[in-house]
Amino acid sequence: MKTVIRPPKSHWKELAVRPLIDSRQLVGKVRSILDDVKTSGENAVRDYCLKFDAYDPSPMEIPAMEFRSAEEVLGEKLKLAIRRAARNIELFHRNQLVELPIVYISRSIQCWQKDIPIERLGFYIPGGTAPLFSTVLMLGIPAKIAGCQDVIMCTPADSSGRIHPAILYAANICGIKKVFRIGGVQAIAAMTYGTKEIRPVDKIFGPGNQYVTLAKQLVSEEGIAIDMPAGPSELLLIADETADPAFVAADLLSQAEHGADSQVVLTCMSLTFASRVKEELMLQVEELPRKDIALQSLINSRIIVLESLSEMMEFSNFYAPEHLIICVKEARKLSEDVRNAGSVFIGNYTPESAGDYASGTNHTLPTNGYARSFSALNLQSFMKTIQFQEIQADGLAELGPDVIEMAEAEGLQAHAQAVRMRMMKGE
Amino acid sequence: MKTVIRPPKSHWKELAVRPLIDSRQLVGKVRSILDDVKTSGENAVRDYCLKFDAYDPSPMEIPAMEFRSAEEVLGEKLKLAIRRAARNIELFHRNQLVELPIVYISRSIQCWQKDIPIERLGFYIPGGTAPLFSTVLMLGIPAKIAGCQDVIMCTPADSSGRIHPAILYAANICGIKKVFRIGGVQAIAAMTYGTKEIRPVDKIFGPGNQYVTLAKQLVSEEGIAIDMPAGPSELLLIADETADPAFVAADLLSQAEHGADSQVVLTCMSLTFASRVKEELMLQVEELPRKDIALQSLINSRIIVLESLSEMMEFSNFYAPEHLIICVKEARKLSEDVRNAGSVFIGNYTPESAGDYASGTNHTLPTNGYARSFSALNLQSFMKTIQFQEIQADGLAELGPDVIEMAEAEGLQAHAQAVRMRMMKGE
């Protein structure tokens, strides 16, 4: 972990560079899998599952029986934890239901907007080393609150064709009945183009490896909506002398264990504090089962010593981190200056893990600086806003002349005519 | 305009096909302009302006004097219309400011979210046949309400280097001071990569021809946010016998005059009504300056005769039109069944032109079926949602065991450790 002391602003840009993998050379490969599934449907999906993941996915849809046995096999303590996390996530996201009043532009001109659930959603839940049942909750619960009717989920099985029971348990809690044991680019293709069993969806959500991420990007160019562009996970931490170096080190490691390409950045105000965190890092990393990944990630990571609270916040806003932890004396006050971030954790007893699992906030967040313009996943991500207006004849009499004037100035006579014709009749 | 009578549902898919131009063969050309500007900055921008638009854009930034003379040269009636439209757009969009309460997950666990304006916006306003000053209002007013601090606008000049005064007048009303006389792919590139005068932006808004649209799509793959994917404009109209065939024809034409690739679809319940609308179309189109464009567009367009109100609404939701006009006896009631549309116009005295210019709603809307998952442009498009949470030691004591249980089940020990360490200290 490199330490940089009081870098001038001209160096900030290079300090904010992410360890991105250029996936452009994968485009051809990914596109050919997409095209195969588009052309050959479920047969292509099956072939790729056999080829890449070494199992036969048939039958692709998980039978109801497997949901039931998942519930039986899972420990009570974990089931309770999942249910309590689900309750908190529901509380937080239900609060986002908003119904705006009708706007009376005048007595006879009413305009309003309405949030309508997106009809068909497809969730992708990665397999691999960790069974991400927490992501099932983060996608499934807001979808349920939004009122989305038709939700399917794809997730790769292990080599015996089995899905982790916690994933099925979480899906069941969210009311997701249609789960398909397919993963990778072929799953994204199946949700985009459809197969015999899978209807094409309107929007695809969920994390994935670089192939899945690229596949989501490519299908988004064809008009399928996706949750957000993805990149490796990251954490920036703002600390002063009131922060606990052991907690800080633990938070940095909890991000670093995600993957070798994760990035953690610590900003603080003294070299002494930086050294104490480094010592703690070296102690704590030894205890971790994912030690090698964490150490690899720390190579991409840095400690930046800055002058003041406000300079640390300025750097954070410049970096636009996915996760931001603020451990300073008046953390809540400083948090009011956050302009760019995905999710903000305030104070010494608010570890990122709390929000990753159970406090109620969403853990699907913009990475790679996208927090400058993209939102943390929220209820609105599962809906679209439709506008409505109703104008009476006298309302149009009032508004009409302005419309005609503007339409004619833009050279659009038929636009003017649609108003003029009604005004003549309305008289 | 082709008439289709009671098509079976199996034919709906082909009836919903849009007249899309495949722009993939333009990728190489567009990307090379983007790359040139990325490498050579303002010099490349100038060269492309000279090459494609036949004017020298230097100085690129419009001087304050030109804003003042725009105000002087513009007619009072048009200025008044623009100001009144601006007031309505402000009323409608200000209504969308929402502040959600803090959620107390428990006494010592607080979670909340905040909408923060996106800092740097770039607007693209096309030149060409029509000076789209209305689009300046539709982008500039919500950006002002959202509190976006740094807004720039690019728009191509005419061959003498001049910008239409209505565009500058509208920009001024929205508080946009930085307008650059550049258009085309080079303008999108300048806003993405920056030049000597232009700082790179976080999000690009605005319509454009197929080159500009493709450029926006390509830079969005590099992490610049864009307003929404774009396609040709379109209108679907639902009419029963209470609709006025002359109004219906006028509305269809107001859409058809946009471009030869615009699509208009009329659904109604009788051939008699369809014929009356066709007669009116032929009469009215003769009077239009943009007659040739409108006739061209009508070739892509269709009248679909269906059985019932509910079947017409079902087709509309299937088609997911950008603009939907409902002219039936109980139009407002039927509008409650809209699931997929950009903007909905209810009743005989609510022409689409009203919303295009002055009623207050936004006219930047999802086309090409994107209304299934994308929203009409609204205040939220100019902001991003950031999450916050603050947990006290006793709150973590309560939540912690569930976090540990879930993190360990996902195989993420460092996540569990970040909580465990605090729980030990907090005791």
Side-chain angles (χ1 to χ4, degrees):
Chain A
M1 216 177 174
K2 210 177 130 192
T3 305
V4 187
I5 303 169
R6 299 187 181 158
K9 282 199 185 155
S10 55
H11 287 199
W12 282 18
K13 197 170 172 182
E14 87 197 46
L15 290 171
V17 167
R18 274 40 174 208
L20 274 193
I21 304 156
D22 184 2
S23 59
R24 258 177 302 183
Q25 78 279 8
L26 306 177
V27 168
K29 200 170 169 185
V30 170
R31 205 184 288 280
S32 83
I33 302 174
L34 293 173
D35 288 345
D36 275 358
V37 174
K38 191 175 182 175
T39 315
S40 313
E42 54 285 351
N43 291 332
V45 173
R46 182 173 304 111
D47 291 349
Y48 283 114
C49 276
L50 282 164
K51 185 174 167 191
F52 295 134
D53 299 328
Y55 67 91
D56 184 342
S58 338
M60 289 189 196
E61 189 174 343
I62 307 290
M65 193 192 62
E66 230 172 296
F67 284 90
R68 281 194 298 273
S69 63
E71 182 156 0
E72 280 161 26
V73 76
L74 217 60
E76 283 307 319
K77 217 172 141 191
L78 181 56
K79 284 196 282 190
L80 192 60
I82 291 176
R83 286 203 303 274
R84 279 197 291 237
R87 173 241 174 218
N88 294 349
I89 296 166
E90 175 146 4
L91 257 181
F92 182 66
H93 289 81
R94 195 172 283 287
N95 183 52
Q96 295 162 26
L97 274 172
V98 170
E99 205 176 328
L100 297 175
I102 292 175
V103 181
Y104 281 81
I105 296 298
S106 72
R107 201 174 48 85
S108 303
I109 305 175
Q110 296 175 47
C111 299
W112 66 101
Q113 63 176 38
K114 220 160 77 178
D115 291 333
I116 306 267
I118 298 172
E119 278 185 293
R120 300 185 196 166
L121 308 184
F123 295 166
Y124 184 84
I125 304 295
T129 48
L132 296 185
F133 57 85
S134 60
T135 303
V136 179
L137 301 180
M138 295 295 174
L139 302 178
I141 290 170
K144 193 170 70 171
I145 298 169
C148 304
Q149 294 294 329
D150 189 347
V151 180
I152 64 169
M153 196 171 105
C154 290
T155 187
D158 62 21
S159 57
S160 66
R162 199 174 141 276
I163 308 289
H164 194 286
I167 287 185
L168 295 180
Y169 183 75
N172 200 36
I173 281 187
C174 303
I176 302 170
K177 308 271 179 236
K178 282 188 161 315
V179 177
F180 299 90
R181 63 178 110 238
I182 55 176
V185 175
Q186 61 271 27
I188 302 300
M191 294 194 278
T192 302
Y193 307 116
T195 67
K196 213 159 53 184
E197 293 177 82
I198 299 175
R199 288 212 308 178
V201 303
D202 299 322
K203 189 167 183 175
I204 297 176
F205 295 77
N209 62 21
Q210 55 176 327
Y211 293 92
V212 168
T213 298
L214 180 60
K216 280 172 65 188
Q217 190 197 297
L218 292 175
V219 302
S220 81
E221 291 164 25
E222 299 178 29
I224 299 288
I226 60 172
D227 45 0
M228 65 183 79
S233 196
E234 61 201 26
L235 164 67
L236 189 142
L237 205 149
I238 296 178
D240 69 6
E241 312 306 314
T242 69
D244 184 319
F247 296 179
V248 169
D251 288 335
L252 296 175
L253 286 172
S254 78
Q255 187 58 41
E257 78 170 338
H258 267 298
D261 56 359
S262 293
Q263 191 178 56
V264 298
V265 179
L266 168 64
T267 63
C268 58
M269 294 189 290
S270 80
L271 256 182
T272 324
F273 186 84
S275 315
R276 289 176 61 203
V277 171
K278 271 189 178 173
E279 278 164 31
E280 277 289 339
L281 274 174
M282 289 308 114
L283 271 173
Q284 292 181 29
V285 77
E286 289 303 323
E287 306 300 315
L288 295 179
R290 294 167 75 95
K291 174 183 165 187
D292 291 345
I293 293 175
L295 283 174
Q296 197 63 37
S297 155
L298 290 180
I299 296 173
N300 300 321
S301 300
R302 30 189 91 91
I303 300 177
I304 305 177
V305 180
L306 293 167
E307 296 271 0
S308 61
L309 289 180
S310 65
E311 197 184 21
M312 290 194 288
M313 182 51 75
E314 197 184 339
F315 181 79
S316 175
N317 284 329
F318 180 82
Y319 184 90
E322 181 192 15
H323 304 96
L324 168 61
I325 300 182
I326 307 179
C327 292
V328 301
K329 196 166 175 225
E330 293 191 81
R332 183 109 175 207
K333 186 153 176 287
L334 188 64
S335 79
E336 287 166 16
D337 297 332
V338 173
R339 312 300 301 164
N340 298 318
S343 195
V344 183
F345 302 78
I346 299 171
N348 283 327
Y349 286 87
T350 314
E352 189 207 304
S353 342
D356 285 341
Y357 289 106
S359 63
T361 56
N362 211 291
H363 76 196
T364 309
L365 301 167
T367 55
N368 193 32
Y370 297 136
R372 278 186 280 272
S373 44
F374 288 89
S375 300
L377 205 73
N378 58 64
L379 198 62
Q380 193 57 48
S381 315
F382 298 85
M383 317 220 263
K384 69 263 178 174
T385 300
I386 303 181
Q387 300 175 164
F388 295 80
Q389 61 199 289
E390 184 172 16
I391 305 177
Q392 311 301 332
D394 58 335
L396 192 64
E398 183 190 314
L399 190 71
D402 289 343
V403 176
I404 293 169
E405 181 73 22
M406 291 172 78
E408 290 186 339
E410 285 195 355
L412 296 172
Q413 282 294 340
H415 281 65
Q417 200 52 29
V419 174
R420 200 178 277 124
M421 189 163 293
R422 286 170 166 94
M423 287 178 69
M424 290 185 317
K425 188 93 165 226
E427 274 164 7
Chain B
M1 219 175 170
K2 211 176 129 193
T3 304
V4 188
I5 302 170
R6 297 185 183 160
K9 281 200 186 155
S10 54
H11 287 201
W12 282 17
K13 198 170 172 183
E14 88 199 45
L15 290 171
V17 167
R18 275 41 174 207
L20 276 193
I21 305 157
D22 185 2
S23 58
R24 257 177 303 181
Q25 78 280 9
L26 306 177
V27 168
K29 199 170 168 185
V30 169
R31 206 184 288 279
S32 84
I33 302 173
L34 292 173
D35 288 345
D36 274 358
V37 174
K38 192 174 182 177
T39 316
S40 312
E42 55 283 352
N43 292 331
V45 173
R46 182 174 302 109
D47 290 350
Y48 283 114
C49 276
L50 281 164
K51 185 174 167 191
F52 295 133
D53 299 327
Y55 68 91
D56 183 344
S58 337
M60 288 188 198
E61 189 175 342
I62 307 290
M65 195 193 61
E66 230 171 295
F67 284 89
R68 280 195 299 274
S69 62
E71 181 156 0
E72 280 162 28
V73 78
L74 218 59
E76 282 308 319
K77 218 173 139 191
L78 181 57
K79 284 195 282 191
L80 193 59
I82 291 176
R83 286 203 303 274
R84 280 197 289 236
R87 174 241 175 219
N88 294 350
I89 296 167
E90 175 147 2
L91 257 180
F92 182 68
H93 289 80
R94 195 172 283 287
N95 183 52
Q96 296 162 24
L97 275 171
V98 170
E99 205 177 327
L100 297 175
I102 292 176
V103 181
Y104 281 81
I105 297 297
S106 72
R107 200 174 48 85
S108 302
I109 305 174
Q110 295 175 49
C111 298
W112 67 99
Q113 63 175 38
K114 219 160 78 177
D115 290 333
I116 306 268
I118 299 171
E119 278 184 294
R120 300 185 196 166
L121 308 183
F123 295 166
Y124 184 83
I125 304 295
T129 49
L132 297 184
F133 56 84
S134 60
T135 303
V136 179
L137 301 180
M138 296 294 174
L139 303 177
I141 290 170
K144 193 170 72 172
I145 298 169
C148 305
Q149 294 294 328
D150 188 346
V151 180
I152 65 168
M153 196 172 104
C154 290
T155 187
D158 62 19
S159 58
S160 66
R162 198 174 142 276
I163 309 289
H164 194 286
I167 288 186
L168 295 180
Y169 183 75
N172 200 36
I173 280 186
C174 303
I176 302 169
K177 308 272 179 234
K178 282 188 161 317
V179 178
F180 298 91
R181 62 177 112 240
I182 55 176
V185 175
Q186 61 272 25
I188 302 300
M191 293 194 278
T192 302
Y193 308 116
T195 67
K196 214 159 55 186
E197 293 178 80
I198 299 175
R199 287 213 307 179
V201 303
D202 299 321
K203 188 166 184 176
I204 296 176
F205 295 77
N209 62 20
Q210 54 175 329
Y211 292 93
V212 168
T213 298
L214 180 59
K216 279 173 66 188
Q217 189 198 299
L218 291 175
V219 301
S220 80
E221 291 164 25
E222 300 177 29
I224 298 289
I226 61 172
D227 45 2
M228 66 183 80
S233 196
E234 62 202 26
L235 164 67
L236 189 142
L237 205 148
I238 296 178
D240 70 5
E241 312 305 314
T242 68
D244 184 319
F247 296 179
V248 168
D251 288 335
L252 296 175
L253 287 172
S254 79
Q255 187 59 40
E257 77 170 340
H258 268 299
D261 56 1
S262 293
Q263 191 177 57
V264 298
V265 179
L266 168 64
T267 65
C268 58
M269 292 188 290
S270 80
L271 257 182
T272 325
F273 186 84
S275 316
R276 289 175 62 200
V277 171
K278 270 189 178 172
E279 278 163 32
E280 276 289 338
L281 275 173
M282 289 309 114
L283 272 173
Q284 292 182 29
V285 76
E286 290 302 323
E287 306 299 315
L288 295 179
R290 294 166 75 96
K291 174 184 164 186
D292 291 345
I293 293 175
L295 283 173
Q296 196 65 38
S297 154
L298 289 181
I299 296 174
N300 300 323
S301 300
R302 31 189 92 90
I303 300 178
I304 306 177
V305 180
L306 294 167
E307 296 271 0
S308 61
L309 290 180
S310 66
E311 198 184 20
M312 291 194 288
M313 183 52 75
E314 197 184 341
F315 182 80
S316 174
N317 283 330
F318 180 82
Y319 183 91
E322 180 192 16
H323 304 98
L324 167 62
I325 301 183
I326 307 179
C327 291
V328 301
K329 197 166 174 222
E330 293 190 81
R332 183 109 173 206
K333 186 153 174 286
L334 189 63
S335 79
E336 287 166 15
D337 298 331
V338 174
R339 311 302 300 165
N340 298 319
S343 195
V344 184
F345 302 79
I346 300 171
N348 284 326
Y349 287 86
T350 315
E352 188 207 307
S353 341
D356 285 342
Y357 289 107
S359 63
T361 56
N362 211 290
H363 76 198
T364 307
L365 301 167
T367 56
N368 192 32
Y370 297 137
R372 277 186 280 272
S373 45
F374 288 89
S375 300
L377 205 74
N378 58 64
L379 198 62
Q380 194 56 47
S381 316
F382 298 85
M383 317 218 263
K384 70 260 178 178
T385 299
I386 303 181
Q387 301 176 163
F388 296 81
Q389 61 198 290
E390 184 171 16
I391 305 177
Q392 311 301 331
D394 57 337
L396 192 65
E398 182 190 314
L399 190 71
D402 289 343
V403 176
I404 291 169
E405 182 71 23
M406 292 172 78
E408 289 185 340
E410 285 194 355
L412 296 171
Q413 283 295 340
H415 281 66
Q417 201 50 31
V419 173
R420 200 177 276 122
M421 190 164 290
R422 286 169 166 96
M423 287 179 69
M424 289 184 320
K425 188 91 165 229
E427 271 163 9

